[in-house]
């Protein structure tokens, strides 16, 4: 065969150029999973069967998927349609990439949720006829399960409240519009009242907003509650504020409509300290400016970090590469990465109040040296503005959906149409270049874990890095309005790896010592080898 003498050289050049572009390309990749699931993913919750319960609101107008079994809702108080035969909730199966409609009849708009110790989603409140409803979704392996709604179960209306699971397995429901108090679920004679929480009225903005406060369960059993620019530690049992933290540096607002986001950074053995990260948001007058004059002010570029267990804590401020409001923050299974995704770079949350979608996610690495913690990721082309969401899946991908900045579904003649799609963002650790480092869990001694007790995991891996191995546990979070309720990550105390003759590796890990650190329920357990996580397995602790 006669080839031109230049061909080998050109091939070499081509591969060289490919290598360069690969090196220069931003990390992570996007895949469109579903162009249209019928509803807009305003709220998302992964359950331990790898299916995601997704819902928006019943008064958005006609969705793009019919209610099961030819049902219709008739609701004379409904503001969009008094008869609506479409569904406003679906179950998405992350394994088969398929979905089915669910039946939710009362309004779930801007509600909150928690997964109970038995793995059922307990979702609370909403709007109008749904504001005091508690809805339970008990997952099943076939397609027979659906929502069960119980009317007027909450003591007061909960619209834009934040929930958190507690060490005893119950849920606390905090705040909501014009609710400066909290209550508990399940309802027993002891939980039929509400408890005042003046901190919420003290921190509201001029429009009476500080909705969806950021709530994290600290290692001492108290709740860290962050509202706009202030934060406290709440002893919910005694109804007492036990600590008041300094206001976050820069007087701007971080809660709805100035929606920033927040995570409790990974908790590591010996679990002696806890640190909170708050990123993004908008200046106080951003909402008024967008609403009255159509001026979209640049969102905040800062993140604040606070060691909430320090004796004299102070906020340490860092600057993101881009401004962001309505971003979602996710703890990734590596235990070393916080993904900041979705949102906009100007305006605020609310109808038609944001511009300049944030197409580019940012990775934040809490353990990296200050000044080199942020890294821009591959961009999407889909705007994910108000009412978008993002959650971690067991295989390490991030499921992204939603965006509807309009009062009803609006698919045409608008700048940012209502979005019914689902995408997956796959962080760089899922790239095939990392295949050799990716562990695969083969067996686990038991998926029923006990507090403080050892369990063992057997795994295979191409290239084992004994010094860079960890075992991490993550519960599935309830995501809505840029905040993931109940999100936490526990790095477990792990033994040295023992490799047997057949090449199988075994690591012994100690389950978290208490329900304060890991409230009861289902968790995804990951083995991480030199920063590359395995696919998780579901385990239960109680
Ligand atoms: C969904 O949208 C498609 C395309 O516009 C339409 O043909 C279909 O009837 C819609 N389905 C429902 C249930 O609204
Ligand atoms: C915090 O917000 C309030 C408005 O609620 C504002 O008056 C105050 O100046 C802000 N605090 C700081 C430290 O900037
Ligand atoms: C969609 O938005 C356009 C432009 O604002 C408006 O004219 C139309 O009435 C909206 N449609 C619905 C269903 O709200």
């Amino acid at each position: 065969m006669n080839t031109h003498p230049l061909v080998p050289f050109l091939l070499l050049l081509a591969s060289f150029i490919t290598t360069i572009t690969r090196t220069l390309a931003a990390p992570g990749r996007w895949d469109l999973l579903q162009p249209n699931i019928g509803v807009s993913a305003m709220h998302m919750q992964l359950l331990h069967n790898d299916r995601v319960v997704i819902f928006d609101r019943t008064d958005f107008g006609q969705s793009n998927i019919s209610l099961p079994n030819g049902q219709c809702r008739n609701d004379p108080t409904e503001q969009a349609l008094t008869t609506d035969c479409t569904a406003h909730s679906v179950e998405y199966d992350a394994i088969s990439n398929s979905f089915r409609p669910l039946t939710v009849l009362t309004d779930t708009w801007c509600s909150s949720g928690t997964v109970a110790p038995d793995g059922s989603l307990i979702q609370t409140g909403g709007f109008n006829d749904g504001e005091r409803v508690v809805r339970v979704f008990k997952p099943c392996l076939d397609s027979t399960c659906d929502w069960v709604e119980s009317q007027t179960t909450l003591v007061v209306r909960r619209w834009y409240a934040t929930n958190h699971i507690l060490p005893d397995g119950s849920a606390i429901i905090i705040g909501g519009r014009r609710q400066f108090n909290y209550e508990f679920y399940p309802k027993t004679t002891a939980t039929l009242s509400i408890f005042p929480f003046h901190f919420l009225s003290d921190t509201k903005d001029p429009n009476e907003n500080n909705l969806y406060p950021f709530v994290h369960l600290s290692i001492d059993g108290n709740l860290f509650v962050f509202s706009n620019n202030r934060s406290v530690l709440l002893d919910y049992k005694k109804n007492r504020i036990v600590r008041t933290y300094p206001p976050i540096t820069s007087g701007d607002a971080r809660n709805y409509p100035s929606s920033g986001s927040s995570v409790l950074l990974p908790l590591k053995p010996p679990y002696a300290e806890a640190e909170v990260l708050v990123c993004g948001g908008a200046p106080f007058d951003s909402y008024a400016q967008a609403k009255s004059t159509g001026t979209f002010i640049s969102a905040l570029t800062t993140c604040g970090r606070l060691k909430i267990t320090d004796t004299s804590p102070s906020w340490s401020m860092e600057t993101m590469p881009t401004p962001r409001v309505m971003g979602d923050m996710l703890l990734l299974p590596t235990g070393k990465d916080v993904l900041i995704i979705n949102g906009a770079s100007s305006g605020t949350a609310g109808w038609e109040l944001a511009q300049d979608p944030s197409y580019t996610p940012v990775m934040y690495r809490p353990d990296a040296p200050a000044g080199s913690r942020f890294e821009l990721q591959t961009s999407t082309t889909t705007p994910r503005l108000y009412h978008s969401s993002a959650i971690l899946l067991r295989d390490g991908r991030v499921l992204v959906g939603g965006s509807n900045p309009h009062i009803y579904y609006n698919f045409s003649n608008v700048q940012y149409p209502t979005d019914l799609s689902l995408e997956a963002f796959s962080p760089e650790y899922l790239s095939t270049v990392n295949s050799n480092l990716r562990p695969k869990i083969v067996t686990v001694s038991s998926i029923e874990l006990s507090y403080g007790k050892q369990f063992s995991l057997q795994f295979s891996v191409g290239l084992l890095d004994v010094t860079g191995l960890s075992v991490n546990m993550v519960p599935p979070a309830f995501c809505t309005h840029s905040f993931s309720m109940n999100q936490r990550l526990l790095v477990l105390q792990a033994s040295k790896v023992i490799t047997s003759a057949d090449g199988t590796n075994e690591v012994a890990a100690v389950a978290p010592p208490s329900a304060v650190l890991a409230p009861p329920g289902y968790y995804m357990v990951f083995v991480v080898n030199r920063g590359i996580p395995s696919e998780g397995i579901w385990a239960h602790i109680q």
Side-chain angles (χ1 to χ4, degrees), residues 36 62-66 86:
N36 183 343
Q62 227 148 15
S63 78
N64 198 242
I65 187 167
S66 298
T86 64

Side-chain angles (χ1 to χ4, degrees), residues 60 352 406-414:
F60 248 167
E352 322 289 342
H406 316 294
I407 190 156
Y408 301 121
Y409 294 111
N410 203 325
F411 302 110
S412 52
N413 303 321
V414 282

Side-chain angles (χ1 to χ4, degrees), residues 51-376:
R51 299 191 197 167
V52 183
V53 176
I54 300 177
F55 53 99
D56 48 31
R57 53 185 287 207
T58 57
D59 53 356
F60 248 167
Q62 227 148 15
S63 78
N64 198 242
I65 187 167
S66 298
L67 273 169
N69 314 318
Q71 301 171 86
C72 294
R73 284 173 52 247
N74 292 299
D75 180 355
T77 67
E78 174 69 270
Q79 56 186 35
L81 295 166
T82 50
T83 298
D84 183 358
C85 305
T86 64
H88 295 280
S89 176
V90 302
E91 181 192 59
Y92 172 73
D93 184 333
I95 300 212
S96 64
N97 187 24
S98 59
F99 57 93
R100 66 180 176 105
L102 299 175
T103 313
V104 76
L105 300 179
T106 61
D107 199 355
T108 47
W109 184 24
C110 301
S111 57
S112 46
T114 300
V115 180
D118 75 349
S120 300
L121 168 58
I122 310 291
Q123 181 271 348
T124 50
F127 185 61
N128 204 347
D129 65 350
E131 65 191 19
R132 290 177 60 196
V133 175
V134 174
R135 306 170 190 83
V136 178
F137 185 90
K138 195 176 170 56
C140 56
L141 289 174
D142 56 17
S143 294
T144 54
C145 42
D146 210 330
W147 288 101
V148 175
E149 303 183 58
S150 55
Q151 305 290 332
T152 52
T153 304
L154 298 174
V155 182
V156 295
R157 75 193 291 234
R158 298 289 173 187
W159 190 37
Y160 294 88
T162 301
N163 294 18
H164 208 294
I165 187 166
L166 299 173
D168 69 359
S170 68
I172 187 169
I173 304 134
I174 301 180
R177 185 138 172 90
R178 301 209 173 101
Q179 295 299 340
F180 310 116
N181 56 58
Y182 57 86
E183 65 181 285
F184 301 91
Y185 184 86
K187 290 299 174 195
T188 62
T189 42
T191 57
L192 287 178
S193 38
I194 57 169
F195 300 84
F197 192 22
H198 301 299
F199 169 70
L200 294 179
S201 46
D202 294 346
T203 50
K204 60 192 198 303
D205 75 4
N207 300 303
E208 297 205 38
N209 285 320
N210 56 349
L211 308 178
Y212 285 120
F214 305 141
V215 179
H216 302 293
L217 174 62
S218 188
I219 56 172
D220 61 2
N222 293 312
L223 292 168
F224 173 85
V225 184
F226 183 99
S227 166
N228 272 340
N229 61 13
R230 289 169 50 189
S231 49
V232 293
L233 197 62
L234 170 71
D235 177 343
Y236 59 88
K237 291 182 189 157
K238 298 204 176 103
N239 188 221
R240 244 186 23 207
I241 287 173
V242 290
R243 285 192 85 167
T244 298
Y245 294 99
I248 191 166
T249 315
S250 100
D252 300 309
R254 310 271 178 173
N255 292 89
Y256 179 98
S258 292
S259 310
S261 192
S262 172
V263 290
L264 178 68
L265 289 175
L267 299 170
K268 299 171 188 169
Y271 310 112
E273 49 185 45
E275 209 173 352
V276 163
L277 180 69
V278 174
C279 288
F284 271 116
D285 57 345
S286 202
Y287 181 83
Q289 292 271 343
K291 206 162 175 131
S292 59
T293 69
T295 313
F296 296 90
I297 298 179
S298 183
L300 303 182
T301 50
T302 50
C303 292
R305 207 167 143 166
L306 184 73
K307 214 169 257 179
I308 62 173
T309 44
D310 257 12
T311 43
S312 54
S314 67
W315 287 95
S316 133
M317 303 305 289
E318 295 175 72
T319 307
M320 297 188 283
T322 56
R324 192 178 305 249
V325 61
M326 295 182 286
D328 281 286
M329 289 169 73
L330 284 92
L331 299 171
L332 297 184
T334 56
K336 295 183 181 305
D337 301 284
V338 179
L339 181 67
I340 309 171
I341 194 166
N342 295 344
S345 56
S346 63
T348 65
W351 306 131
E352 322 289 342
L353 295 182
Q355 294 269 305
D356 309 313
S358 297
Y359 295 109
T360 311
V362 175
M363 201 68 85
Y364 176 82
R365 303 216 159 82
D367 301 335
S372 61
R373 292 187 180 141
F374 294 99
E375 183 188 30
L376 291 168

Side-chain angles (χ1 to χ4, degrees), residues 386-541:
Y386 188 38
H387 291 152
S388 58
S389 58
I391 55 165
L392 175 68
L393 297 175
R394 185 172 57 85
D395 61 14
R397 289 178 303 162
V398 173
L399 183 67
V400 178
S403 190
N404 184 16
H406 316 294
I407 190 156
Y408 301 121
Y409 294 111
N410 203 325
F411 302 110
S412 52
N413 303 321
V414 282
Q415 192 176 6
Y416 304 115
T418 303
D419 187 284
L420 307 181
S421 71
L422 286 180
E423 285 175 287
F425 176 72
S426 296
E428 187 62 11
Y429 55 65
L430 287 170
S431 155
T432 50
V433 302
N434 295 313
S435 298
N436 207 33
L437 288 169
R438 184 169 307 114
K440 184 177 184 339
I441 299 175
V442 184
T443 50
V444 57
S445 54
S446 170
I447 54 165
E448 193 60 51
L449 310 181
S450 304
Y451 290 110
K453 295 276 156 57
Q454 223 179 52
F455 66 105
S456 63
L457 292 148
Q458 292 193 315
F459 63 96
S460 58
V461 66
L463 180 66
L464 176 67
D465 177 359
V466 281
T467 59
L469 195 101
S470 63
V471 180
N472 299 339
M473 249 172 83
V474 188
F478 181 95
C479 180
T480 191
H481 288 76
S482 312
F483 184 62
S484 283
M485 307 176 193
N486 308 304
Q487 185 172 215
R488 64 209 288 111
L489 185 147
L490 292 122
V491 175
L492 304 187
Q493 190 192 319
S495 71
K496 279 216 173 83
V497 177
I498 296 167
T499 305
S500 54
D502 68 356
T504 310
N505 309 288
E506 183 169 308
V507 62
V510 181
S514 75
V516 165
L517 290 168
Y522 285 89
Y523 286 74
M524 295 174 270
V525 179
F526 300 89
V527 171
V528 184
N529 178 46
R530 202 191 287 169
I532 308 301
S534 66
E535 188 169 283
I537 54 163
W538 286 107
H540 185 253
I541 192 163

